[in-house]
Structures are given as C-alpha cells and as structure tokens.
C-alpha cells in the first residue's frame, strides 16, 4: 500500500502504456459504488460510505460525481449547485484519502439514472431551445455550455473537509467524461467524436494534471471496419462510438472499456460468454498497447445474478477470466492500467443492488478471489 503520509501521495501519472505513482508502477484493483455521494448527503446513510471505502481493501473506487435534477441533486439547474450535496462529495473524497484509496470520478451519465443527458436536454427545452432528441446533448452549444459549467464547478471545487482543490488532489486518479455515451442518431461517430474532442480539451484546459478517460463500453466503429466483428452484436457498431478513433482524441489518457456479456449476448451458454470475454479483453489490450499506446482500464465488468440466467459460480469464473487476461498481459510488460468490478457493496445497501452487487458479508468466496488477485498483482 502507499504511504499514508499525505505529502508522499503523488498523482497517478501515465508513462506510455503504464500507470505510475510514487516512483513505481501503479495497478488499478478497483470497484464501482456509484451512490457514494448521495449516501453521504444523508446523515442516516453516511456511515455506509465509510464502510464501502474502508472494507473494500482495494485501491481504486469509481463513483459518480454528478446528480442532475431530481432528489438530492448536486446540479439543481444549469449553473446552480447544491452546497450540501457538494459537501457530501467533499466527504467522499476525504474518506477515500483517509483510507488510501484513489477515485475515478464520473461527470455525467448517458443513461437516465441520476439525471444525465436526458435531464440536460429537458433543461434545454425548458429554456426554449429547439431540441428534437436526447442526442442533441452532444451537439447543441447551449447544452454543451451547461455541461462545461458543471465540469468546471467540480474540477475547481475546493474541498471543505481537506481544503484541497479537486484539480490538485492526488486522491483523484482520473476524471471520466460520461458513462456509456451512445449517439445512434449519428452512427458515423462524427457527432460523438467532436463532443469528446471538445470536452477532453476543455477538461485539460482547467486541469492539465489529472488523467482523463471517456467512459465508453469499447464498441468498435466504422473507422476500422475489420474490427466490427469483435463487437457483441450489430447495434454496437452503430451506437455512435468508436473505440479506436475515440481514444485518439487529444487529452484522453486511458483506454477505458466495459465488459457485460450477460447484457450484450442473447444466450446464456457459459463457455461462449467466457470465449467472448477472452476475445474482447485480448483485442482491446492489443489495441490499447499497439495502436493507442495507453493503459487499459476495464472500468466496469460484472454479472447479474438476479434474473436466473447466471449464478455466483459463473460470476466468479467471469471475474477470474478478466483478471487472468489482464494479469498475463501486465506481467509480460504489454500493458498497465487495471480492472474495476461492477459493483461492491457494504451491508445495509442491499436495496441498491441491481443484481450485480457483491456484498462483503455475503460473498466470502468472491472476496477471497479479489484478495487472491491482489496477491498476484504484488508477487
């Protein structure tokens, strides 16, 4: 573990395909718990935040630094932010720091949870803009100004607990532009590409120091047609994203992908799922190393056990497959970065389980799998 004395805590930086911190390689062994800020905003659930961070025993957590409109919103309206909720985010960052954990902070959602692009478009319509689709989020100048203002508010925030500006805080490993953006109205990918380039350069203009990732699933797009067959289905190639081209946008530091074969593949033949995972991981690692020259971050991967298709045994096989492939590439010196499980919960948060949650107290075998991966990374 890194030295707990804060003055030794250096930013995580990128050196080619590797991550470094405090003079040595830094590997992400992490998890997602998206609701930390909203739980911290309520005294009754704040202890769950500390538990989530303290009990994980992992080194990075990805969480949502946005909540647009709706209950306990951070952004109550364009250019308006709730100070109490901002203080909840301050608490999350300070707790992570206290437990020597780094954070990847996501700045927006392409889905409707916690507001996201749909909420931005609603705000635009309320302001009288002529918007026809949620995809206008990526092209309308006024909506883009809302997003930029929000990003600036978060990145330049001075933490009320630690008194440190977010953009100077090594607790933050990376910013994520948007969770799983799709823009099917423009399958060429040009609309989303333009948005990513503009926003990456905007984030870097305010915070040139922190690493930046996009948040896409990793679907291949029209820029390299021969890679389209690697996608899980036909739609993926027309979603408006493009793994290679998107990651060539100046300012993007990490090649981030997700792995959800349980959603993407129509069948439940376990061997075929694991074969898909193997190929998906291998192809993206190769491309990150050879075409992009950057670390790979498997930002989300998991298996839902709630619909009866799969159980815990398959979830663990799935996790082992992902860890094994990353580990062998890392040991060969091909790639750095790491993987973040979706998702890991303390007790008392079961009601937030979307089917993917590994709950500490109830999952001893999965926890030992996580601990084993940590040992493999250190040996």
């Amino acid at each position: 573990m890194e030295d707990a004395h804060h003055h030794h805590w250096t930013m995580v930086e990128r050196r080619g395909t590797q991550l470094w911190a405090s003079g040595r390689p830094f590997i992400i062994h992490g998890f997602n718990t998206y609701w930390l800020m909203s739980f911290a905003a309520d005294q009754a659930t704040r202890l769950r935040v500390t538990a989530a961070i303290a009990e994980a025993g992992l080194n990075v957590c990805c969480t949502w630094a946005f909540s647009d409109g709706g209950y306990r919103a951070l952004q109550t309206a364009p250019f308006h932010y709730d100070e109490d909720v901002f203080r909840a985010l301050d608490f999350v960052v300070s707790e992570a720091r206290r437990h020597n954990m780094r954070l990847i902070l996501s700045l927006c959602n392409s889905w409707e949870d916690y507001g996201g692009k749909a909420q931005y478009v609603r705000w635009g319509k309320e302001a009288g803009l002529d918007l026809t689709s949620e995809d206008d989020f990526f092209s309308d100048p006024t909506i883009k100004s809302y997003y930029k203002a929000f990003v600036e508010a978060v990145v330049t925030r001075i933490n009320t607990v630690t008194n440190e500006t977010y953009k100077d805080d090594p607790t933050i490993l990376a910013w994520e532009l948007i969770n799983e953006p799709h823009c099917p109205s423009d399958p060429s990918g040009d609309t989303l590409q333009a948005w990513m380039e503009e926003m990456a350069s905007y984030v870097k203009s305010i915070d040139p120091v922190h690493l930046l990732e996009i948040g896409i699933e990793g679907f291949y797009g029209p820029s390299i047609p021969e890679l389209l067959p690697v996608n899980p289905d036909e739609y993926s190639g027309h979603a408006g994203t493009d793994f290679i081209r998107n990651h060539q946008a100046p300012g993007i530091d990490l090649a981030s992908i997700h792995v959800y074969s349980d959603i993407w593949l129509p069948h439940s033949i376990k061997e075929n799922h694991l074969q898909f995972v193997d190929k998906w991981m291998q192809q993206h690692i190769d491309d990150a190393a050879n075409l992009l020259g950057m670390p790979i971050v498997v930002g989300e991967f998991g298996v839902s056990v709630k619909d009866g298709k799969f159980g815990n045994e398959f979830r663990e096989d799935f996790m082992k497959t992902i860890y094994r492939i990353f580990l062998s590439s890392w040991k060969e010196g091909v790639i750095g970065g790491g993987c973040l499980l979706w998702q890991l919960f303390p007790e008392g948060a079961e009601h937030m389980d979307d089917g993917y949650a590994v709950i500490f107290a109830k999952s001893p075998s999965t926890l030992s799998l996580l601990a084993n991966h940590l040992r493999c990374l250190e040996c």
Side-chain angles (χ1 to χ4, degrees):
M1 291 310 282
E2 287 174 286
D3 197 314
H5 301 295
H6 291 157
H7 57 273
H8 291 304
W9 238 40
T10 60
M11 289 276 183
V12 177
E13 53 177 339
R14 170 165 88 92
R15 299 189 187 169
T17 59
Q18 303 289 331
L19 294 176
W20 281 71
S22 310
R24 56 173 176 263
F26 180 91
I27 291 291
I28 296 169
H29 183 20
F31 67 103
N32 289 264
T33 304
Y34 68 90
W35 42 255
L36 295 179
M37 179 177 71
S38 73
F39 270 46
D42 190 330
Q43 273 327 118
T45 50
R46 184 167 267 208
L47 285 169
R48 301 270 76 77
V49 174
T50 305
I53 291 169
E55 291 171 22
L58 306 183
N59 67 354
V60 181
C61 172
C62 182
T63 195
W64 291 356
F66 63 85
S67 180
D68 313 307
Y71 180 67
R72 286 205 191 282
L74 172 56
Q75 183 172 202
T76 51
F79 315 111
H80 291 85
Y81 317 108
D82 184 313
E83 179 60 22
D84 289 339
V85 181
F86 240 141
R87 286 177 184 237
L89 185 57
D90 295 343
F91 175 77
V92 171
V93 174
S94 68
E95 282 300 275
R97 175 166 206 149
R98 203 162 66 86
H99 293 93
N100 291 322
M101 183 177 284
R102 309 277 190 164
L103 296 173
I104 295 174
L105 295 179
S106 187
L107 297 164
C108 193
N109 202 354
S110 200
W111 307 104
E112 300 220 343
D113 311 270
Y114 284 45
K117 75 174 182 185
Q119 179 60 55
Y120 277 89
V121 169
R122 277 197 292 279
W123 280 329
K125 286 181 171 165
E126 286 163 19
L129 300 177
D130 180 23
L131 305 173
T132 52
S133 137
E134 277 181 23
D135 287 353
D136 291 334
F137 172 86
F138 299 112
S139 52
D140 184 86
T142 306
I143 304 277
K144 289 195 288 189
S145 73
Y146 296 169
Y147 173 84
K148 284 179 175 171
F150 176 70
V151 167
E152 185 183 20
V154 174
V155 173
T156 61
R157 168 82 179 169
I158 298 169
N159 191 314
T160 53
V161 183
T162 64
N163 216 24
E164 183 145 29
T165 308
Y166 282 27
K167 70 186 177 72
D168 301 326
D169 189 347
T171 311
I172 298 165
L173 184 151
W175 302 110
E176 177 177 280
L177 290 178
I178 180 167
N179 175 49
E180 301 195 334
H182 291 187
C183 187
S185 63
D186 182 8
S188 78
D190 292 349
T191 300
L192 207 38
Q193 183 70 16
W195 184 87
M196 288 170 188
E197 288 178 4
E198 181 178 343
M199 297 314 168
S201 116
Y202 181 72
V203 173
K204 289 290 184 180
S205 73
I206 324 173
D207 177 359
V209 180
H210 278 106
L211 300 170
L212 181 62
E213 65 177 41
I214 303 168
I216 56 174
E217 294 102 323
F219 301 136
Y220 289 95
S223 72
I224 305 188
E226 59 270 29
L227 289 175
L228 288 170
V230 180
N231 287 341
D233 59 17
E234 186 67 21
Y235 166 76
S236 314
H238 305 287
T241 63
D242 190 320
F243 175 71
I244 305 289
R245 185 184 177 201
N246 295 162
H247 282 102
Q248 287 166 334
I252 302 297
D253 301 293
L254 307 169
S256 56
I257 65 165
H258 294 173
V259 192
Y260 286 119
S261 67
D262 66 336
I263 301 177
W264 299 342
L265 302 182
H267 59 77
S268 52
I269 305 157
K270 292 174 182 171
E271 298 73 60
N272 293 13
H273 275 253
L274 297 179
Q275 277 165 5
F276 169 81
V277 169
D278 196 306
K279 191 166 181 211
W280 184 252
M281 286 285 293
Q282 210 57 67
Q283 186 67 54
H284 286 86
I285 287 172
D286 292 350
D287 293 337
N290 302 320
L291 283 177
L292 301 169
M294 51 177 65
I296 188 109
V297 176
V298 183
E300 296 179 21
F301 68 97
V303 171
S304 173
V305 296
K306 78 163 179 215
D307 56 11
K309 237 167 57 161
F310 298 112
N312 203 55
E313 191 186 347
F314 174 72
R315 177 192 272 167
E316 292 184 1
D317 288 343
F318 176 92
M319 290 171 65
K320 282 179 196 157
T321 304
I322 288 193
Y323 288 144
R324 175 178 51 77
I325 295 167
F326 174 76
L327 211 59
S328 67
S329 296
W330 180 60
K331 298 235 146 131
E332 288 164 17
V334 173
I335 202 86
C339 314
L340 299 99
L341 177 70
W342 182 276
Q343 46 186 340
L344 198 51
F345 282 12
E347 279 197 285
E350 287 86 345
H351 62 289
M352 301 297 283
D353 183 8
D354 53 0
Y356 289 84
V358 171
I359 295 156
F360 296 134
K362 301 200 170 92
S363 324
S365 62
T366 311
L367 290 191
S368 71
L369 191 165
L370 290 167
N372 185 50
H373 180 55
L374 183 61
R375 279 193 298 277
C376 293
L377 289 170
E378 287 169 346
C379 65

